[in-house]
Amino acid sequence: QKMMSRVDGWRLTRRKRVRRCALVGVAVLLLSVILFLVWLRSRGEAAWVPEMFPGERVGWHEPVVVTHRAYLDVTVGGKDVGRLEVGLFGNIVPKSAENFRALVTCDHIDKNPKLCYRDDGFHRLIRKFVIQGGSHATGQSVFGPTFREEKNATRHSFLSHASRGLLAWAEYPIGSQFYITYSPVPYLDGNHVVFGAILRGMDVLDSLELVSVTGEKPVVPIKIRDCGLL
């Protein structure tokens, strides 16, 4: 009995030690996470959590991951009207997302000063259809004059023009001109690549639709005052 008692005591002590080690391990892990978050905040950065975009708005079978968030600060006739926040779908159309990202961050202006959307504008406006911009780079992409999507170079309709506020390239092969939809236009799927969507600023998009036009040209300049990543 004394032997059994000693064995039971040893087992109990061992269990306590294991639990204690487990608790210490969890505490160390939590402390490491807290210190990492503090370090991120000290650098002015926040932990990134992927945002999901409703798949039905782009004719996709599941929610679409927003891989980049960009912004376009817009003026009409020299007056600020607000910001368009854009989500890019880099997992589905990676080259398209990278092209737009590089054009809003102006990464390639050392090679060509026109490869940047800053001080560019929207030159074509058709109510209940699209507003089109990005002509400053004379149609050139950051990959060269034009490019095709890398996953399937002959396919245009990865995603559908299924709702208002979607971004797509105005030509294929792709250059720099893009448009934003004012209504569902799925008949464009066969000729154009949808690559993003307005996440915030639909009220700004609405106000742009009301700008007077001559034919399809805005009467007053609609300009991109500033742009970049969020």
Side-chain angles (χ1 to χ4, degrees):
Q1 290 182 351
K2 288 184 178 180
M3 181 62 71
M4 292 297 293
S5 177
R6 289 178 182 175
V7 171
D8 290 341
W10 178 80
R11 287 176 178 171
L12 184 60
T13 302
R14 185 183 179 188
R15 286 183 193 142
K16 288 182 178 179
R17 288 176 179 171
V18 170
R19 287 175 188 166
R20 191 176 300 160
C21 289
L23 289 173
V24 170
V26 171
V28 169
L29 179 61
L30 288 174
L31 181 60
S32 299
V33 171
I34 292 170
L35 290 174
F36 178 68
L37 292 175
V38 170
W39 176 74
L40 282 178
R41 179 170 291 185
S42 70
R43 295 185 59 194
E45 301 175 6
W48 180 75
V49 177
E51 184 170 351
M52 307 302 291
F53 187 79
E56 63 270 15
R57 286 194 55 193
V58 286
W60 199 245
H61 57 278
E62 61 184 4
V64 179
V65 176
V66 174
T67 56
H68 304 79
R69 290 175 60 90
Y71 69 89
L72 304 173
D73 289 335
V74 184
T75 64
V76 175
K79 296 181 179 179
D80 287 329
V81 294
R83 170 173 289 187
L84 298 172
E85 294 188 13
V86 178
L88 305 180
F89 308 137
N91 285 353
I92 298 176
V93 282
K95 291 191 76 172
S96 290
E98 175 57 22
N99 190 49
F100 192 85
R101 185 208 66 78
L103 286 167
V104 296
T105 56
C106 308
D107 285 353
H108 297 265
I109 57 174
D110 55 332
K111 299 177 183 177
N112 183 344
K114 291 186 176 182
L115 291 176
C116 175
Y117 284 146
R118 189 176 296 115
D119 296 326
D120 204 333
F122 294 92
H123 60 275
R124 185 185 184 210
L125 171 59
I126 306 174
R127 291 176 184 172
K128 297 182 180 181
F129 183 46
V130 301
I131 183 169
Q132 183 173 328
S135 62
H136 185 249
T138 62
Q140 295 185 44
S141 77
V142 299
F143 299 108
T146 60
F147 71 94
R148 297 174 183 269
E149 264 302 332
E150 62 185 17
K151 288 189 175 182
N152 189 332
T154 62
R155 181 181 176 189
H156 301 76
S157 54
F158 296 91
L159 301 171
S160 177
H161 298 70
S163 61
R164 183 181 179 89
L166 302 183
L167 279 76
W169 296 115
E171 60 265 313
Y172 198 86
I174 299 163
S176 64
Q177 292 196 46
F178 67 96
Y179 57 81
I180 307 173
T181 61
Y182 274 120
S183 62
V185 281
Y187 53 86
L188 295 180
D189 291 350
N191 298 308
H192 302 274
V193 176
V194 174
F195 63 89
I198 301 298
L199 302 179
R200 291 177 180 80
M202 291 296 283
D203 56 329
V204 177
L205 186 65
D206 293 344
S207 69
L208 298 181
E209 190 176 15
L210 301 178
V211 173
S212 298
V213 296
T214 299
E216 298 177 356
K217 182 179 180 181
V219 172
V220 293
I222 303 176
K223 305 287 287 184
I224 299 172
R225 179 182 60 79
D226 194 17
C227 54
L229 287 184
L230 293 170

